[in-house]
Every structure is written in structure tokens, then in C-alpha cells.
């Protein structure tokens, strides 16, 4: 019962993890919701109009890879387990594709064996905070605790350092990026995403495949949620089609060039 209650509470929190294509600045804490102009027909997405480009640049945050190379960086957010991650890992293993999985404290406590498997099969286990808060509304001390708890547990389970960080719900401000960067974290946003996180609104594998493929562009950092049945069923065909188009899948560890 306790696990079920925790699952439902986290599901409710993640239900607000919408990926806006615009940004909203808070007059209270200067917060931004990460957003971008979507890629179409292979053109590059843009954050120029969003008002936070300089903040990301100043704090060495990642949004794109090298836009001159047909390279893709596959990332998953794992707030909780919905039964699909084993199948996702199977596809990645069979297709020899590296990925990054951003995990919460709930996931680490609930699915330690899957976290170990991620690392054992060559994937990055990233930091998605311990309790998935809006980090712009917590103190620097609390922010550090949130990140260190995940980092410590990931290291205990896998030996990895979990220094790649995805801010919960894509909410950030200059303080949170600067503070986490000073602690040695690399904030990772994304340049390709769609509304895939709502487990009650799944539209089929073909829909997921179309949503991803129509946004492909050089240097794309792809955000998918592992709770999505659609993503799981479409992943193999997405990888195959991307490769047919000349793209190669790379690890975040290989991402050295940022273009905004």
C-alpha cells in the first residue's frame, strides 16, 4: 500500500511535467520553463525567442550537440517505473544504442536492479533530483541535498557519479543553474520532445514514431519518458529510421560542442 501511494503521488507530480513550446518567467523567482521552437523538416530548433539563452550559455547547460553532425543523444526521464524500462533496455542493447536515464529518489529506491542494469549495459544514470521539486523554489542548501542524495545512491548502486542533471519539469533560473554547475553538475535540457508522459493519453506506436521522426535534426538531444507505452513500442523503429537517414546515436559523454 505504501508503495502504491508513493507511486500515485509521484504520478500526480509528473502529470504537470509539460514541455511548453514557450517560456513563462515568474515575477517571484525569475523562473523559466524550458521551451523551444520545434524543428521542422530537418531545420534546427531555436531558443532565441525564449529569453534564457544567455543563462544557459553562461552556466554551460546542454540543449543541443554539434549541429553540423548528424548525431543524436537519446535521453529518458525515469520518475517512476511503469513496467516498460526493461523492454526499452532490451531494444537499446539489441540496437547497440547508448542512452541517459535521469532518475529520481523514488526510482532509485523502487527499482535498484533496473538502475544497476542501466549502468551495466553502458548507459548513463543521470540526476533528476531526489523528490522532483521546482528547484527555483528551494534554498541552495535544499537543492544541494536533493542532488547529493541521488548522486550518492547512484554511486552506491552503480559506481557512476551522476553529474548530468535534468532539472525537474524543466524549470530553472540563473541561481539554480549556477548553483548546480558550481557543484559540478551539467544541466541537460533537450531539443526534441513531445507530450508523451501522460499514461492515460497514449495514441499508439505509430503516433510516437511520427512525433519523434518529424523533429529529427543534427545534434538533437531527445527527451522521452519511459512510462510511455507508445515510446516503448516505437523505439526500435525510431532508431532504425533515424539510422536510415544517416544519423548516429551518441552518448552524452561524447557531447562536447553546444550550439544555440
Amino acid at each position: 500500500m505504501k508503495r502504491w501511494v508513493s507511486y500515485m503521488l509521484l504520478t500526480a507530480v509528473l502529470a504537470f511535467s509539460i514541455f511548453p513550446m514557450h517560456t513563462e518567467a515568474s515575477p517571484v523567482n525569475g523562473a523559466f520553463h524550458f521551451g523551444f521552437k520545434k524543428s521542422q523538416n530537418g531545420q534546427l530548433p531555436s531558443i532565441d525567442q525564449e529569453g534564457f539563452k544567455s543563462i544557459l550559455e553562461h552556466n554551460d547547460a546542454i540543449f543541443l550537440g554539434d549541429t553540423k553532425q548528424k548525431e543524436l543523444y537519446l535521453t529518458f526521464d525515469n520518475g517512476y517505473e511503469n513496467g516498460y524500462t526493461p523492454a526499452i533496455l532490451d531494444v537499446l542493447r539489441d540496437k547497440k544504442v547508448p542512452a541517459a536515464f535521469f532518475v529520481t529518489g523514488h526510482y532509485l529506491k523502487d527499482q535498484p536492479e533496473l538502475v544497476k542494469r542501466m549502468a551495466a549495459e553502458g548507459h548513463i544514470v543521470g540526476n533528476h533530483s531526489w523528490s522532483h521539486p521546482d528547484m527555483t523554489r528551494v534554498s541552495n542548501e535544499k537543492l544541494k541535498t536533493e542532488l547529493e542524495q541521488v548522486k550518492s545512491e547512484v554511486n552506491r548502486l552503480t559506481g557512476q557519479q551522476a553529474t548530468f542533471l535534468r532539472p525537474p519539469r524543466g524549470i530553472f533560473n540563473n541561481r539554480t543553474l549556477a548553483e548546480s554547475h558550481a557543484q559540478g553538475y551539467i544541466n541537460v535540457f533537450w531539443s526534441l520532445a513531445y507530450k508523451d508522459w501522460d499514461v492515460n493519453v497514449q495514441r499508439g506506436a505509430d503516433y510516437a514514431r511520427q512525433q519523434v521522426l518529424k523533429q529529427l535534426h543534427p545534434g538533437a538531444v531527445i527527451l522521452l519518458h519511459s512510462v510511455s507505452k507508445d515510446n516503448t513500442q516505437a523505439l526500435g523503429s525510431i532508431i532504425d529510421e533515424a539510422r536510415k537517414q544517416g544519423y548516429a546515436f551518441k552518448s552524452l559523454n561524447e557531447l562536447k560542442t553546444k550550439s544555440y
Side-chain angles (χ1 to χ4, degrees):
M1 174 63 74
K2 184 176 180 181
R3 176 176 290 185
W4 182 86
V5 171
S6 297
Y7 172 91
M8 293 305 295
L9 286 173
L10 188 59
T11 301
V13 170
L14 293 178
F16 291 96
S17 301
I18 301 172
F19 309 107
M21 295 302 107
H22 64 283
T23 182
E24 298 174 359
S26 165
V28 177
N29 57 7
F32 293 96
H33 292 247
F34 184 78
F36 57 95
K37 180 181 178 182
K38 284 186 176 183
S39 170
Q40 294 183 351
N41 301 317
Q43 297 179 350
L44 295 178
S46 173
I47 61 171
D48 287 343
Q49 75 278 17
E50 305 299 354
F52 50 68
K53 177 180 178 180
S54 62
I55 296 175
L56 267 61
E57 288 181 324
H58 180 71
N59 294 291
D60 295 324
I62 291 172
F63 157 66
L64 280 173
D66 186 347
T67 58
K68 295 182 175 61
Q69 303 296 324
K70 296 193 77 172
E71 297 173 348
L72 304 173
Y73 301 86
L74 185 59
T75 73
F76 293 87
D77 279 4
N78 288 66
Y80 64 95
E81 180 54 43
N82 198 29
Y84 300 122
T85 304
I88 289 171
L89 287 168
D90 288 348
V91 171
L92 297 177
R93 178 198 61 210
D94 294 345
K95 301 289 185 182
K96 296 181 172 55
V97 170
F101 292 87
F102 290 91
V103 299
T104 61
H106 174 88
Y107 200 91
L108 287 163
K109 291 187 294 181
D110 190 55
Q111 300 293 333
E113 295 307 313
L114 280 178
V115 174
K116 291 177 184 178
R117 181 182 171 187
M118 293 169 186
E121 295 184 359
H123 304 298
I124 290 170
V125 181
N127 199 324
H128 200 35
S129 79
W130 190 258
S131 62
H132 206 263
D134 174 349
M135 293 201 294
T136 68
R137 297 183 180 275
V138 303
S139 67
N140 285 348
E141 182 178 357
K142 173 63 174 174
L143 186 153
K144 183 176 181 180
T145 299
E146 283 278 334
L147 302 184
E148 284 300 308
Q149 283 183 285
V150 171
K151 185 176 182 179
S152 176
E153 187 63 6
V154 168
N155 183 254
R156 186 184 74 81
L157 291 172
T158 72
Q160 291 190 19
Q161 292 300 314
T163 53
F164 286 104
L165 166 64
R166 174 155 288 150
R169 289 169 275 171
I171 302 175
F172 67 98
N173 59 20
N174 186 64
R175 177 184 65 85
T176 62
L177 293 190
E179 181 65 21
S180 56
H181 187 46
Q183 294 174 25
Y185 295 96
I186 300 172
N187 284 271
V188 181
F189 293 94
W190 56 89
S191 63
L192 192 163
Y194 77 103
K195 185 179 176 181
D196 63 344
W197 49 265
D198 190 340
V199 297
N200 295 314
V201 186
Q202 298 292 293
R203 302 182 180 181
D206 189 58
Y207 177 81
R209 181 177 180 274
Q210 291 178 30
Q211 294 303 306
V212 174
L213 293 178
K214 73 181 183 181
Q215 294 185 65
L216 286 184
H217 57 271
V221 177
I222 302 171
L223 166 59
L224 298 176
H225 281 78
S226 60
V227 297
S228 167
K229 179 180 179 181
D230 293 352
N231 287 340
T232 306
Q233 294 180 341
L235 184 59
S237 63
I238 289 171
I239 292 169
D240 290 345
E241 180 58 31
R243 283 173 165 165
K244 285 180 182 179
Q245 294 183 26
Y247 286 98
F249 287 87
K250 301 288 186 177
S251 168
L252 284 181
N253 286 321
E254 301 175 85
L255 198 162
K256 296 182 174 64
T257 302
K258 299 187 296 300
S259 302
Y260 297 105

